[in-house]
Amino acid sequence: MNNIILCGFMGCGKTTVGTLLARRLGMEYADLDAEIEAEAGMAIPAIFAEYGEARFRDLEHEAVRALAGRADCVVSTGGGALTYPRNREALSPRDLVVFLDAPFDACLERIRGSDRPIVRRSSPEELRALFDARRPAYLAAANAVADASAGPEAVAEAVARIRAERGPAL
């Protein structure tokens, strides 16, 4: 198995779980959004403001392709990254892609007050519609699902068990 890729809606715990999981398994950790910001030399809200979502999605795709070339890395994707077929196709078939499935209300509570462009410009109802629209894409992208309604330590342990059950290669 090459990498463990975590996907799911904003606020489902990808960054927190990814950090814990990488530490637990002795793997490298990469946050896709942090990789994009480092490459662009600016924060994601600034990328959206200055260049728009289309440019951000192009940078995101470049980052997914770069991360797909790594091995033994836990990767936290952005909430929209794996809703795009080109990003799903860029991943290795040997990657374990885990959908962190958290209830909408838990995600909403965690992202309230966020500087994320989508959160700032959307009502809770619009975010719920986005959550519902993205869920099938997460399920299509993933080859495993973890219940992310528990605390981050428990979710990291669940993903580690999934990895152990799958063995060294998918």
Side-chain angles (χ1 to χ4, degrees):
M1 181 172 318
N2 284 343
N3 301 307
I4 300 172
I5 313 293
L6 303 177
C7 71
F9 198 67
M10 301 171 283
C12 73
K14 297 178 298 288
T15 300
T16 303
V17 169
T19 303
L20 292 169
L21 183 63
R23 189 176 313 126
R24 176 185 301 259
L25 298 176
M27 296 173 73
E28 179 185 0
Y29 173 72
D31 182 281
L32 188 66
D33 287 346
E35 299 282 328
I36 294 165
E37 289 179 338
E39 185 64 30
M42 59 189 350
I44 289 172
I47 297 168
F48 268 77
E50 191 163 331
Y51 301 107
E53 184 172 356
R55 177 65 182 139
F56 169 75
R57 296 299 174 192
D58 287 343
L59 292 170
E60 180 179 66
H61 180 63
E62 292 169 21
V64 168
R65 289 182 54 203
L67 288 172
R70 293 188 187 175
D72 298 318
C73 187
V74 175
V75 179
S76 298
T77 62
L82 296 189
T83 65
Y84 291 87
R86 69 180 182 165
N87 291 337
R88 293 192 303 264
E89 292 162 5
L91 299 176
S92 167
R94 292 176 36 111
D95 289 338
L96 174 62
V97 181
V98 182
F99 168 34
L100 299 186
D101 191 10
F104 173 73
D105 290 337
C107 293
L108 181 62
E109 187 58 35
R110 293 174 189 162
I111 63 175
R112 228 181 263 288
S114 167
D115 69 345
R116 293 173 172 119
I118 293 171
V119 174
R120 288 180 27 215
R121 70 174 185 245
S122 303
S123 69
E125 295 77 20
E126 290 168 324
L127 291 170
R128 167 62 98 166
L130 183 62
F131 176 90
D132 292 341
R134 285 182 173 180
R135 194 166 194 285
Y138 299 142
L139 289 167
N143 44 38
V145 177
D147 180 355
S149 60
E153 287 283 350
V155 178
E157 178 59 33
V159 176
R161 275 195 311 275
I162 291 168
R163 181 180 187 258
E165 291 166 4
R166 300 287 173 109
L170 290 176

